[in-house]
Amino acid sequence: MKLAARVSLVTPSLTLEITAKAKALKAKGIDICSFTAGEPDFDTPEHIKAAAKKALDEGKTKYGPAAGEPKLREAIANKLRTENGLDYQAANIIVTNGGKHSLFNLMLALLDPGDEVIIPAPYWLSYPEMVKLAGGHPVIVQTDASSGYKITPKQLRQAVTPRSRLLVFNSPSNPTGVVYSPAEIQALAEVVVEKDLLVVSDEIYEKILYGKAQHVSIGSLGPEIFARTIISHGFAKGYSMTGWRIGYLAGAKELIQAVTTIQGHSTSNVCTFAQYGAIAALEGSQDCVESMRQAFAQRRDAMLERLNAIGGLTCARPDGAFYVFIDISKTGLTSLEFCDRLLETQQVAAIPGIAFGADDHIRLSYATDMESINKGMERLDRFVRSLF
Ligand code: GLU
């Protein structure tokens, strides 16, 4: 069958593909240790599920406004105003089918053919693909361990051309776990304003921070950067609601209206009763978020301790999200070879760094139970020893 040319521009999502493969092997009874998708192993907190069940029982089963339930848009605007210092009203918010959908819709609403989007690497693998699907051109800016995997203001300035439209900024970062300091964010914001760019700040890991790391939204740093900021966020990671598919986008009203028009012809509203669960997530106690964060913190420490004892691998200490990004360059293997052989010989599933623009790395998610972490690290150790 002849497919549209745009299909050949993109590759399937490796995070989803390898996660599905690991799950299928597990279902066959194979003892797999999976560190694949960033998906908390916790169930969604009870009060959130109860609110969605109640909404279902009350008949919240019909079409709703394409931009989302008014009460949820209000609750999101309220969260962004009070927690993040972002002066949004409900009209600045659209509820989407997850963070991925937010970003995809944004690219469709913003980009004309050939428009450039600056993406610091290592990046979450779907960013460049979404840009391409929308007809834009991803401009990758490479960072590495020497700059703490952070883009510098100088690099950003150098990447700007007359076609640049948008910077994709993600802190805490997937896949590196890096959290930019307020001063670093301020310095990048100055370049965004100076070069008259837009910035989309993907804040999906906002609540998953460790030690002294602090989350500051780039849009809160002054009126000029606020006017150029779009926030992409969602409920999946912080509230363990991955399968619910609820995210949101916040930005200028005209942009949100444009995204609403696109959504009105594509997905319409997000599942109506599920949105009531999201309202409960925002309005209820935040203790569940904190207790999951504490569990991630323990798992991070356990995983790092084991990893640091494995000769031949190096990895920086992540300050946020739930990933470790491991430098495998001393093994001489590509990230695909490393992950394939690790899965084949030790039944440990990891994501090759090539998916994130760093072929000399692999990513492990520690949003999984401690037993799998202990067992998996033993197997990884055995595997790496076999390479030297
Ligand atoms: N964002 C998560 C990850 O990077 C989920 C999978 C995906 O959508 O890529 O693992």
Side-chain angles (χ1 to χ4, degrees):
M1 188 192 301
K2 184 188 171 301
L3 298 174
R6 79 174 66 84
V7 178
S8 64
L9 296 177
V10 293
T11 49
S13 164
L14 260 188
T15 45
L16 297 189
E17 212 170 84
I18 300 178
T19 304
K21 188 172 170 186
K23 280 187 183 170
L25 290 170
K26 241 185 202 171
K28 274 194 197 158
I30 300 172
D31 177 22
I32 298 284
C33 292
S34 180
F35 303 106
T36 52
E39 174 163 49
D41 56 326
F42 304 105
D43 196 3
T44 302
E46 275 312 317
H47 68 285
I48 299 175
K49 292 200 292 185
K53 284 183 201 164
K54 182 165 172 275
L56 187 55
D57 289 341
E58 285 174 353
K60 301 269 195 300
T61 54
K62 305 293 185 198
Y63 292 135
E69 289 296 295
K71 204 171 164 218
L72 179 54
R73 295 172 77 197
E74 285 287 351
I76 293 167
N78 185 46
K79 175 245 180 287
L80 294 172
R81 275 197 312 273
T82 55
E83 289 185 11
N84 305 104
L86 299 162
D87 189 17
Y88 289 126
Q89 308 301 320
N92 299 106
I93 312 296
I94 179 167
V95 182
T96 64
N97 287 288
K100 195 178 270 182
H101 188 220
S102 286
L103 292 160
F104 183 69
N105 280 347
L106 175 69
M107 300 308 168
L108 284 185
L110 276 187
L111 302 181
D112 278 324
D115 278 351
E116 293 177 359
V117 177
I118 300 171
I119 303 175
Y123 47 75
W124 177 48
L125 74 178
S126 292
Y127 296 147
E129 309 305 275
M130 292 167 173
V131 171
K132 288 188 264 175
L133 284 172
H137 178 61
V139 173
I140 307 299
V141 177
Q142 206 65 46
T143 76
D144 58 26
S146 66
S147 66
Y149 301 102
K150 291 171 182 170
I151 184 173
T152 62
K154 189 173 167 206
Q155 280 181 306
L156 176 56
R157 207 172 271 117
Q158 282 170 349
V160 175
T161 77
R163 294 307 306 266
S164 305
R165 275 305 321 268
L166 179 71
L167 165 69
V168 179
F169 184 66
N170 175 219
S171 174
S173 152
N174 175 9
T176 60
V178 157
V179 180
Y180 286 69
S181 72
E184 287 163 342
I185 299 175
Q186 174 72 49
L188 292 173
E190 281 166 18
V191 182
V192 170
V193 172
E194 173 196 318
K195 298 289 183 186
D196 199 16
L197 302 174
L198 295 170
V199 55
V200 58
S201 182
D202 179 352
E203 305 190 355
I204 191 89
Y205 297 99
E206 174 192 4
K207 301 287 182 188
I208 305 168
L209 295 169
Y210 311 109
K212 292 199 172 72
Q214 205 189 330
H215 175 77
V216 170
S217 181
I218 190 166
S220 69
L221 298 177
E224 286 186 310
I225 186 69
F226 179 65
R228 290 171 173 78
T229 299
I230 303 119
I231 307 289
S232 176
H233 210 316
F235 295 84
K237 312 294 186 183
Y239 296 98
S240 196
M241 292 171 68
T242 47
W244 290 60
R245 311 311 303 138
I246 311 182
Y248 55 88
L249 209 54
K253 277 186 203 160
E254 59 176 329
L255 171 71
I256 297 304
Q257 270 161 15
V259 174
T260 305
T261 302
I262 290 171
Q263 213 160 271
H265 287 297
S266 50
T267 54
S268 302
N269 63 285
V270 172
C271 171
T272 304
F273 53 86
Q275 292 186 60
Y276 284 82
I279 295 169
L282 288 179
E283 292 184 343
S285 161
Q286 301 301 300
D287 291 354
C288 54
V289 179
E290 175 55 15
S291 65
M292 289 190 270
R293 190 200 66 79
Q294 284 177 13
F296 296 139
Q298 280 174 6
R299 295 161 180 195
R300 177 192 72 144
D301 291 347
M303 195 178 243
L304 282 173
E305 199 184 310
R306 304 292 296 260
L307 281 171
N308 288 333
I310 302 178
L313 301 182
T314 41
C315 90
R317 197 174 181 80
D319 289 323
F322 30 57
Y323 308 107
V324 283
F325 205 51
I326 306 169
D327 184 337
I328 57 158
S329 52
K330 286 195 191 127
T331 67
L333 298 178
T334 67
S335 60
L336 278 167
E337 284 165 351
F338 190 102
C339 290
D340 279 350
R341 283 165 63 173
L342 181 62
L343 183 59
E344 216 167 277
T345 62
Q346 301 292 335
Q347 292 73 51
V348 172
I351 308 287
I354 193 165
F356 311 107
D359 198 19
D360 51 359
H361 285 68
I362 61 163
R363 188 193 78 175
L364 302 183
S365 160
Y366 50 86
T368 189
D369 63 281
M370 204 64 106
E371 197 193 323
S372 301
I373 291 174
N374 286 329
K375 194 157 66 171
M377 292 309 98
E378 236 162 73
R379 294 180 186 184
L380 179 64
D381 186 20
R382 208 176 306 142
F383 175 69
V384 175
R385 278 173 203 276
S386 76
L387 298 175
F388 290 100

